[in-house]
Amino acid sequence: MAFHRHSAPRSYLSSVMTERFDCYYCRDNLHGKKYVKKDEKHVCTKCFDKLCANTCAECRRPIGADAKELHHKNRYWHEDCFRCAKCYKPLASEPFSARDDGKIMCGKCGSREDGNRCQGCYKVVMPGSQNVEYKNKVWHEECFTCFDCKQPIRTQSFLTKGDDIYCAPCHDKKFAKKCFHCKQPITSGGISYQDQPWHSECFVCRTCRKALVGERFTSHENNVYCVDCYKTDVAKKCHGCKNPITGFGHGTNVVNYEGYSWHEYCFNCKRCSLSLANKRFVISGDHIHCPDCAKKQ
């Protein structure tokens, strides 16, 4: 919005003739009478008002020879008609703004009309008022609110989702990944295990609560365990060597038969030590034998 000052009131040359001189239009003798010189033509005041006077942009009436005239960008006003279109304040000696729609306004009304509008309430954000600017848009400070909780964000951090603005807690609650263990939002860091997100501090052994980030671990029924706790509390015991079957390191394959389990390397003939994995065998008490040794038994 630009503020302007109009030109000074128009004052055409008006004089009293002392010699014979005629009006350009009506040819009346102007001797001893007032006249106006316009465009190098001498015109009586009556013809001037009727034929030459500019039309007031406000009241649409001629601006007579005896009236004070103001003009701005090829438009003309009576001095008394040159007022703010909103508050009607006289602007003959005041700063003003000329709008594209032709309206003339005082500085205050022009600011309200042409100023930036708040994206929240759509009212004008007055210069000098508390406001928030983001991506070439402006809000009153109290209108810059979280889309979810509706509270003013003010000096807090915020995040966006599409065109909506959220305070950090509401954004985390609504959009952040939830920890597989505690079901609370993961706001920073975290790890992923079996395509599930975890807080680092939640990824601990189910039994001893030891942190497992960077450590060897295994899972059982949606719980994670350190190696030691898995061996003592969860793992099946080998029916042969009586040690835990953990799946760690050597002996990852397991043989299961009638509720018993063996390390594959423990599933051997009790007599000849032949490995019986994927072979025929005979159970005799707590022991297994190959068919040949079973016959000799």
Side-chain angles (χ1 to χ4, degrees), residues 24 37 47 65 89 110 125 133 136 158 179 200 203 226 249 269:
Y24 178 82
K37 185 177 181 182
C47 288
K89 176 183 178 180
V125 179
E133 292 188 19
N136 299 319
F158 65 90
C179 175
S200 296
F203 197 68
C226 66
C269 175

Side-chain angles (χ1 to χ4, degrees), residues 116-174:
N116 291 322
R117 292 193 175 273
C118 172
Q119 296 297 305
C121 67
Y122 301 104
K123 295 180 180 179
V124 173
V125 179
M126 295 298 292
S129 64
Q130 294 291 324
N131 63 76
V132 178
E133 292 188 19
Y134 177 67
K135 288 190 174 180
N136 299 319
K137 296 181 180 179
V138 65
W139 289 258
H140 294 111
E141 187 178 56
E142 63 273 16
C143 294
F144 192 68
T145 60
C146 171
F147 182 78
D148 197 43
C149 69
K150 310 302 181 186
Q151 295 300 308
I153 292 175
R154 302 188 189 281
T155 58
Q156 300 179 64
S157 60
F158 65 90
L159 299 99
T160 60
K161 193 73 172 180
D163 292 331
D164 299 326
I165 297 168
Y166 294 85
C167 64
C170 286
H171 184 275
D172 292 344
K173 179 180 177 182
K174 197 173 184 71

Side-chain angles (χ1 to χ4, degrees), residues 29-187:
N29 186 355
L30 298 178
H31 180 71
K33 299 178 181 178
K34 292 178 67 176
Y35 75 94
V36 178
K37 185 177 181 182
K38 186 173 190 306
D39 299 331
E40 301 301 321
K41 300 179 179 68
H42 300 86
V43 184
C44 68
T45 56
K46 183 177 179 180
C47 288
F48 177 87
D49 292 349
K50 182 178 180 181
L51 302 173
C52 301
N54 294 312
T55 300
C56 176
E58 180 62 26
C59 70
R60 304 301 178 186
R61 295 176 181 175
I63 304 174
D66 294 327
K68 290 184 177 180
E69 178 186 275
L70 306 178
H71 76 269
H72 175 70
K73 290 186 177 180
N74 299 318
R75 299 173 68 212
Y76 303 86
W77 292 263
H78 293 104
E79 184 178 33
D80 291 341
C81 291
F82 196 70
R83 296 173 177 270
C84 174
K86 285 287 185 180
C87 68
Y88 305 109
K89 176 183 178 180
L91 297 177
S93 58
E94 299 289 337
F96 66 93
S97 62
R99 294 172 48 80
D100 292 340
D101 59 6
K103 292 180 179 178
I104 300 296
M105 293 188 185
C106 65
K108 186 175 182 180
C109 291
S111 294
R112 287 175 177 168
E113 193 73 13
D114 293 333
N116 291 322
R117 292 193 175 273
C118 172
Q119 296 297 305
C121 67
Y122 301 104
K123 295 180 180 179
V124 173
V125 179
M126 295 298 292
S129 64
Q130 294 291 324
N131 63 76
V132 178
E133 292 188 19
Y134 177 67
K135 288 190 174 180
N136 299 319
K137 296 181 180 179
V138 65
W139 289 258
H140 294 111
E141 187 178 56
E142 63 273 16
C143 294
F144 192 68
T145 60
C146 171
F147 182 78
D148 197 43
C149 69
K150 310 302 181 186
Q151 295 300 308
I153 292 175
R154 302 188 189 281
T155 58
Q156 300 179 64
S157 60
F158 65 90
L159 299 99
T160 60
K161 193 73 172 180
D163 292 331
D164 299 326
I165 297 168
Y166 294 85
C167 64
C170 286
H171 184 275
D172 292 344
K173 179 180 177 182
K174 197 173 184 71
F175 302 110
K177 291 182 178 180
K178 303 294 193 301
C179 175
F180 181 73
H181 175 70
C182 70
K183 312 305 179 187
Q184 295 302 309
I186 300 174
T187 58

